[in-house]
Amino acid sequence: MRSLFSLPTSALTLVALGILNTASAEENTLNLPSTSITSTADDEAPQGYQAKPSATTTRLNLTAGQTPQGISSIKREQMDDFKLNSIRDIMDSTPGVNVQKVETDRTYFTARGFDITNFQYDGMGMGLAGGVLVGDIDTAPYEQVDILHGANGLMTGSGNPSATVNFIRKRPTYEPEAKVSVSAGSWDKRRVDLDVSGPLTDSGNVRGRLIYANEVGNSYLDRYSREKNIFSGLLAFDLTDDDTLTVGYEEQKSNANGASWGALPLTDSSGNALHYSSTSANISQPWVYWDVRTSHAFAEWQHNFANDWKSTLTVTAMEHREDTDMFYIYGDSTSSTGYTGLASNYKGKTRELDGDLSFSGPFSLGGREHQLTVGANVARSRTRETSLYGTSSYYTPVSLEDALNGVIPKPTYNMANADATSDFTDRQKSLYAGARFSLTDDLHLITGARMLSADSDGENYGSGRDVRIHGKVTPYAGVVYDLTPQYSLYASYTEIFNPQYYLNTQGQVLDPLEGKSYEAGIKGHLLDKRLDVSAAVFHTKQDNVATYAGFNPSLGGYLYEGMSYKSSGVELEATGELAPGLQVSGGYTYVYITDADNNRGRKFIPRNALTSSMTYKLPMAPKVKVGGSLKWQSKVENDDTPAANQAAYALVGLMTSYDIDPHWSTQLNLDNLTNEKYLQSVRYGQSNYGAPRNVTASVSWKF
C-alpha cells in the first residue's frame, strides 16, 4: 500500500507549515489582519477583449500587470466574434503560440520554441498525453482561456518552458440567462449551441447551468467528415455564507470519418519535394475512422475564513477513450512502389484522478500586507492501449495514387503481441507555496517553489516504463517594479523540470527535462486603462528535449532523442479598446532556437509570427459590428528534410454582426479571404493543406 504522500522532509515543507502555523497565532510577528483588506487584484471586470486572468491561473489572484510573465486571455466575446469554437482556434489566435496540426485529428502546440504540455481546467492539471491533442476540445463549456507564457514555475512546477493553458469553466449564475445559437457554413457544416443558467431555488442558494453543442459536417478534405457532441452540467450549492460546493460533469465526443494517420508525404523516397494540385488531397481511406471521447467530473469546495483567507478543495476525474482504424503512408526507397503503407486498429483508454487542497490569503509582515498560497496536489493516471495489424498490410508497398483516390482495401487485423500493447500507471505528488511580497509601494517580489515526486510503472509497447523521482524542488522568483501608475517593469527566473515518458532509441524512457528560463519586460495601461500593452524578452535553455528519431514498432513505436536547445526571443502584445467601439487583440513574436552546437534548431517553428483581431461598432449604426483578423508567419521547414517546407504566408478573416433587437442577432464570418494555399505543419515531413476560403452564417437568441 503506497502512502499518499511519501515526500521527504525539506525546506519547502517546513516553510509552508511554518507560515500556516504562524499565520494562525495572534502573538507572532506574522499577523493576519482582522479587518478586510483590498485584494491585490482589481475586482472590476474589464470590458471588451481586455481581460483579468483567472485567480486559478497564477494561484495568487494576480492581474496581468502584477504577473512577472507574459499572459494572454481570450474572452468569450472574442470567441463568439470569430467563431473560436475549438482549442485549435483559440491557440491559433493567441500571440506567441504556434499550432502544429500534423494530422486531421492530432495537434501539437508550441510557444517560445517548445511544446505546450500543461493544460488545466480552473487551475487543475489534466494534461494532454505528451502535449498532443487528439480529436479536439470544444470551447462551448468555457468562459475564458488564459495562456501564461514561458516556464510555468509560478505555481505549477513541472512542465515545458513554453506556456500553461488554463480553461476557465462557465459557472452557474445568480440571475437567469439563456442563449441559443445556430450556424451553417461551407462543406455542409452545421452547429447548434445551447447555454442555460440560473437559480434553482427562490433564494438562489442552489444554481445550475446546462451547456450543449453539436457540430456536424463534411470537409474540404476528400472523404473526411466529423461530428462533435459536447455536454456540460454544473450545480453550485451555497452550503453556508462561507461555504460553496460546485459539482460538474463534462463530456466531449469527436467522431471522425476519413481521418488521417500521418498526412500527405511532402517528399518522395529520394527526398525530392512533392506538390499536390488540390488542397483537398487526403491519404485517408473510406474505412478509416477516429472516435474520441473525453469526460471530466469535478467537485470543488471553497470555504472563506475570517481575515480574507480561503481554502479550496478540488477533486477531478478524467477519462479519455480512443477507437480508430488508421492508415499511414510514407516515402520508402526500399519499396517497389517508392511508398510503404501501414494500417492499424487502435484502442486506448486513460483514466486520471487529481486532488488539490490550497489555502490562500493576505498576511502582514514588516508593516506591509502580502499574499500567500500554500497547497498540496496528488494525481494518478492509468493508460491501456492495444494496436492490431494485418498481415496483408503490415508495412506493405502501396501506390500513392491509390491512397489519394481512396481505393486501398481494409485489411483483416490478425497480428497482435506484447509489442503492440501498453498498460502503465503514472503517479505524481507535490507540495507548493507561493507568495507576493509588497517590499515597497512600488516594488513587489513574487516567489515560490514546488516539491514533486513522480513514479511510473508498467509496460509501454514492449518496453518497461520505469520512472522514479522523489523530492525534486523547482523554485520560482519574479519581481515587479511600478515605474508609474501606468507602467511596470518585471523580471522572472524559473528552473525547469518535467518527468518524461517518451522512449529513446534504445526503448528506454528519456531522462526528465531540465533547464532554466529567464524573462524580463514592461507592461502598461494606455487610454485610461482601456488598453493593455506589454513587451518581453526571454531566454531559455533546456536539456533532454524529446526530439523525434523515427518509428520502430519492435522498440515501442515512435522513438525520440534527448536534445539540448536554447531559445531566445521577443514578444509584443496589445489588448483592449483602442478607440471608442474599436476592440483589438494581437501581438508579434520573434523566436530563435539553437541546438547544442549553436546551429538553428526546430526550424518547423516560425521565427517570426504576427496575430491580430479587431472589431468595430459603427458609430452611425451601433447595432452593426465589423471586424477582421490577420495571421502571418515566416518560412518553416522540416529539420531533417529541407525540401519539406512552407514559405511565409498570411491568412485574413472578416466578420460582421447585426443586433436585430436585445434578444436576436445575426453574424457572418469569412475565413481565408485570399484563398491562401498552405501546409498546416512540416514538423514530421507530412502535412495536409489548410482550409481554403470558407464562410459561416449564424443566428443567436439570448435572454
Side-chain angles (χ1 to χ4, degrees):
M1 182 75 180
R2 292 180 179 272
S3 172
L4 182 64
F5 280 93
S6 58
L7 299 172
T9 303
S10 71
L12 175 62
T13 312
L14 296 175
V15 169
L17 295 177
I19 290 174
L20 282 177
N21 291 332
T22 306
S24 62
E26 293 181 359
E27 67 275 10
N28 260 300
T29 305
L30 181 63
N31 294 310
L32 295 179
S34 58
T35 59
S36 178
I37 68 169
T38 303
S39 171
T40 59
D42 187 359
D43 292 329
E44 290 187 11
Q47 301 299 308
Y49 290 174
Q50 195 179 34
K52 172 189 172 183
S54 168
T56 62
T57 300
T58 63
R59 298 291 186 103
L60 288 171
N61 197 26
L62 305 179
T63 67
Q66 295 168 341
T67 305
Q69 291 179 240
I71 187 166
S72 305
S73 297
I74 308 296
K75 293 174 64 177
R76 172 48 57 182
E77 182 175 346
Q78 188 174 350
M79 297 183 207
D80 292 340
D81 283 346
F82 292 97
K83 299 299 179 184
L84 308 180
N85 293 325
S86 73
I87 182 178
R88 293 189 182 114
D89 300 331
I90 291 284
M91 304 297 270
D92 223 13
S93 302
T94 302
V97 176
N98 185 250
V99 177
Q100 304 285 326
K101 194 174 180 181
V102 297
E103 302 165 337
T104 55
D105 288 69
R106 186 154 42 188
T107 310
Y108 291 83
F109 306 100
T110 66
R112 299 186 175 181
F114 301 103
D115 291 339
I116 300 175
T117 56
N118 279 350
F119 293 84
Q120 302 176 337
Y121 297 82
D122 289 325
M124 288 288 291
M126 306 290 284
L128 307 177
V132 186
L133 172 67
V134 180
D136 206 352
I137 295 176
D138 199 275
T139 57
Y142 310 116
E143 190 65 39
Q144 182 171 305
V145 180
D146 291 342
I147 299 94
L148 182 67
H149 298 267
N152 56 340
L154 186 60
M155 287 308 296
T156 47
S158 63
N160 275 339
S162 49
T164 297
V165 181
N166 189 20
F167 298 94
I168 315 303
R169 293 185 179 98
K170 295 176 179 177
R171 296 294 179 115
T173 57
Y174 285 93
E175 298 294 330
E177 296 181 4
K179 184 176 182 179
V180 180
S181 178
V182 295
S183 62
S186 302
W187 311 297
D188 200 28
K189 183 177 178 180
R190 304 174 302 280
R191 181 179 175 99
V192 177
D193 285 88
L194 172 66
D195 185 356
V196 182
S197 179
L200 302 178
T201 61
D202 292 339
S203 65
N205 65 329
V206 181
R207 302 171 301 283
R209 191 160 194 163
L210 176 67
I211 300 164
Y212 174 76
N214 171 269
E215 181 178 300
V216 62
N218 297 315
S219 166
Y220 65 97
L221 293 174
D222 294 336
R223 298 178 295 280
Y224 183 76
S225 63
R226 187 180 67 178
E227 180 175 4
K228 294 197 297 181
N229 283 283
I230 301 93
F231 169 83
S232 177
L234 301 96
L235 291 172
F237 304 87
D238 294 336
L239 305 178
T240 69
D241 290 342
D242 296 317
D243 294 90
T244 300
L245 174 66
T246 305
V247 296
Y249 176 79
E250 176 188 322
E251 182 175 278
Q252 300 208 17
K253 295 181 179 179
S254 173
N255 302 105
N257 294 316
S260 60
W261 180 27
L264 302 173
L266 301 183
T267 58
D268 61 18
S269 58
S270 301
N272 300 312
L274 292 173
H275 301 282
Y276 300 85
S277 59
S278 174
T279 58
S280 65
N282 187 10
I283 56 94
S284 183
Q285 304 303 300
W287 44 268
V288 170
Y289 68 93
W290 204 326
D291 294 342
V292 181
R293 174 183 172 272
T294 304
S295 58
H296 294 88
F298 80 97
E300 176 190 273
W301 176 32
Q302 288 191 343
H303 175 74
N304 296 318
F305 298 95
N307 308 314
D308 289 331
W309 274 73
K310 73 174 184 179
S311 66
T312 304
L313 174 63
T314 306
V315 178
T316 304
M318 181 274 289
E319 183 180 78
H320 178 85
R321 291 177 176 265
E322 294 181 50
D323 181 8
T324 172
D325 274 345
M326 302 189 283
F327 177 74
Y328 180 75
I329 186 173
Y330 63 96
D332 183 4
S333 59
T334 65
S335 170
S336 58
T337 63
Y339 297 91
T340 291
L342 174 65
S344 172
N345 175 264
Y346 169 86
K347 289 181 172 60
K349 180 174 70 175
T350 297
R351 288 181 172 174
E352 183 174 339
L353 183 65
D354 284 49
D356 188 275
L357 175 63
S358 65
F359 298 86
S360 62
F363 65 93
S364 291
L365 180 66
R368 291 190 165 276
E369 296 169 346
H370 317 278
Q371 291 288 126
L372 172 69
T373 294
V374 295
N377 180 275
V378 60
R380 182 183 186 275
S381 69
R382 183 177 183 182
T383 298
R384 296 178 177 179
E385 300 172 298
T386 302
S387 294
L388 302 177
Y389 303 93
T391 52
S392 62
S393 62
Y394 193 70
Y395 291 106
T396 302
V398 295
S399 162
L400 178 60
E401 183 179 0
D402 286 348
L404 294 174
N405 290 330
V407 297
I408 295 177
K410 180 180 179 179
T412 299
Y413 299 110
N414 52 11
M415 289 179 59
N417 50 52
D419 293 340
T421 63
S422 293
D423 189 349
F424 56 84
T425 300
D426 298 329
R427 306 171 188 86
Q428 288 194 12
K429 294 163 283 193
S430 61
L431 296 175
Y432 59 86
R436 181 180 187 263
F437 296 96
S438 297
L439 304 180
T440 70
D441 290 345
D442 300 323
L443 183 62
H444 309 278
L445 174 67
I446 296 90
T447 185
R450 175 173 289 245
M451 185 172 64
L452 173 72
S453 289
D455 65 86
S456 180
D457 54 64
E459 294 289 320
N460 186 19
Y461 287 104
S463 300
R465 184 181 174 101
D466 189 10
V467 174
R468 298 289 186 273
I469 300 165
H470 295 284
K472 177 65 178 180
V473 177
T474 51
Y476 174 90
V479 62
V480 179
Y481 178 67
D482 298 329
L483 285 173
T484 69
Q486 290 77 36
Y487 291 97
S488 300
L489 295 174
Y490 74 90
S492 61
Y493 165 81
T494 307
E495 291 189 5
I496 301 159
F497 179 84
N498 195 31
Q500 296 194 111
Y501 307 100
Y502 297 106
L503 298 180
N504 62 21
T505 52
Q506 287 75 49
Q508 304 300 315
V509 177
L510 284 175
D511 291 334
L513 289 164
E514 295 193 76
K516 299 177 180 180
S517 181
Y518 306 86
E519 181 176 342
I522 184 171
K523 297 183 179 182
H525 306 287
L526 302 177
L527 305 177
D528 196 27
K529 296 187 176 182
R530 295 192 306 272
L531 183 70
D532 295 334
V533 294
S534 64
V537 294
F538 58 86
H539 177 76
T540 300
K541 184 180 184 302
Q542 188 162 347
D543 298 321
N544 298 321
V545 178
T547 305
Y548 182 66
F551 182 83
N552 188 333
S554 65
L555 292 177
Y558 294 102
L559 304 178
Y560 297 82
E561 292 180 302
M563 308 288 288
S564 295
Y565 291 101
K566 291 183 288 187
S567 169
S568 301
V570 176
E571 290 179 342
L572 308 175
E573 188 168 355
T575 305
E577 191 175 51
L578 190 61
L582 179 60
Q583 296 291 331
V584 297
S585 176
Y588 163 79
T589 302
Y590 169 85
V591 59
Y592 189 75
I593 308 160
T594 57
D595 59 21
D597 299 322
N598 287 323
N599 297 316
R600 186 185 174 194
R602 299 175 71 82
K603 290 178 284 188
F604 59 85
I605 297 172
R607 185 182 298 185
N608 298 275
L610 175 69
T611 301
S612 66
S613 302
M614 62 183 305
T615 59
Y616 183 54
K617 287 189 176 180
L618 301 180
M620 71 292 296
K623 293 183 177 182
V624 177
K625 180 190 292 185
V626 296
S629 63
L630 172 65
K631 182 176 177 61
W632 171 87
Q633 67 172 51
S634 57
K635 179 182 177 180
V636 292
E637 65 181 51
N638 181 264
D639 286 338
D640 300 318
T641 311
N645 63 74
Q646 169 61 54
Y649 68 93
L651 300 176
V652 179
L654 298 176
M655 66 80 60
T656 182
S657 66
Y658 176 66
D659 295 331
I660 300 171
D661 59 31
H663 303 290
W664 291 92
S665 63
T666 63
Q667 185 168 318
L668 188 68
N669 291 79
L670 178 65
D671 294 326
N672 197 356
L673 173 67
T674 61
N675 208 31
E676 185 78 20
K677 184 180 180 182
Y678 64 99
L679 296 171
Q680 294 182 315
S681 173
V682 296
R683 180 171 183 148
Y684 295 120
Q686 296 181 314
S687 180
N688 292 314
Y689 289 100
R693 183 187 300 115
N694 61 97
V695 63
T696 301
S698 59
V699 178
S700 300
W701 176 88
K702 66 180 180 180
F703 172 78

